[in-house]
């Protein structure tokens, strides 16, 4: 059985890690620019840490979007069975839109930044979009 809380957690955990790592990398980058007391070795080490955090952040962001696509596929499978069994299409248009957009990221057709921009403009945040996909179905089936 599809569980909304589990879906939110599976999508949200990598997104939270992405946001934390991105914020830490930005903080270190600012410190690197402004701290005049850092030695060359400290600057090099800080640069390596920033690069590592940015790489991990990007990886977690992609994983979050990939998981959103996967959750959409699960919901779509349930919905397809319901339709086959004579029920109406119960998937919300928003969940379908977000899921298809996330699949495009997964397939390499668009990048994560474009995905983030579109869902943030349309739904307010990536977190809100994830909740919509996790919910997946309309309150009432047709």
């Amino acid at each position: 059985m599809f569980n909304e809380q589990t879906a939110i957690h599976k999508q949200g955990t990598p997104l939270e890690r992405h946001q934390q790592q991105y914020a830490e990398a930005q903080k270190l980058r600012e410190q690197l620019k402004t701290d005049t007391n850092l030695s060359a070795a400290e600057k090099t080490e800080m640069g390596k840490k920033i690069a590592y955090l940015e790489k991990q952040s990007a990886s977690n962001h992609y994983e979050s979007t990939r998981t959103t696509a996967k959750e959409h596929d699960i919901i779509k499978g349930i919905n397809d069975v319901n339709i086959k069994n004579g029920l109406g299409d119960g998937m919300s248009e928003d969940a379908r839109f977000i899921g298809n957009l996330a699949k495009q990221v997964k397939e390499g057709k668009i990048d994560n930044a474009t995905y983030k921009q579109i869902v943030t403009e349309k739904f307010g945040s990536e977190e809100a979009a994830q909740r919509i996909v996790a919910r997946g179905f309309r309150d009432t089936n047709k």
Side-chain angles (χ1 to χ4, degrees), residues 23-134:
E24 187 177 349
Q26 294 300 76
K27 181 180 151 193
L28 289 174
R29 188 175 298 286
E30 186 62 31
Q31 182 183 354
L32 188 62
K33 285 182 189 177
T34 59
D35 193 342
T36 57
N37 297 324
L38 293 173
S39 69
E42 289 171 320
K43 287 180 180 181
T44 300
E45 197 58 39
M46 195 176 284
K48 288 178 183 178
K49 186 168 185 174
I50 291 167
Y52 173 77
L53 285 168
E54 288 175 342
K55 182 179 177 186
Q56 290 301 110
S57 172
S59 176
N60 280 312
H61 195 202
Y62 175 78
E63 179 63 21
S64 174
T65 306
R66 189 192 68 78
T67 304
T68 298
K70 185 176 174 185
E71 292 303 319
H72 170 263
D73 289 345
I74 292 168
I75 295 167
K76 185 177 179 320
I78 294 167
N79 192 50
D80 290 348
V81 169
N82 288 345
I83 291 170
K84 185 177 177 183
N85 291 331
L87 297 173
D89 184 357
M91 183 180 273
S92 72
E93 288 302 314
D94 288 344
R96 189 181 319 276
F97 175 81
I98 296 163
N100 287 333
L101 199 59
K103 284 177 76 170
Q104 289 180 34
V105 172
K106 182 179 165 185
E107 295 167 353
K109 294 179 181 174
I110 63 171
D111 64 10
N112 241 345
T114 303
Y115 167 83
K116 180 178 181 172
Q117 178 186 355
I118 293 169
V119 298
T120 299
E121 286 174 5
K122 190 164 173 119
F123 303 104
S125 69
E126 285 182 278
E127 292 87 348
Q130 288 177 344
R131 284 190 298 276
I132 290 167
V133 171

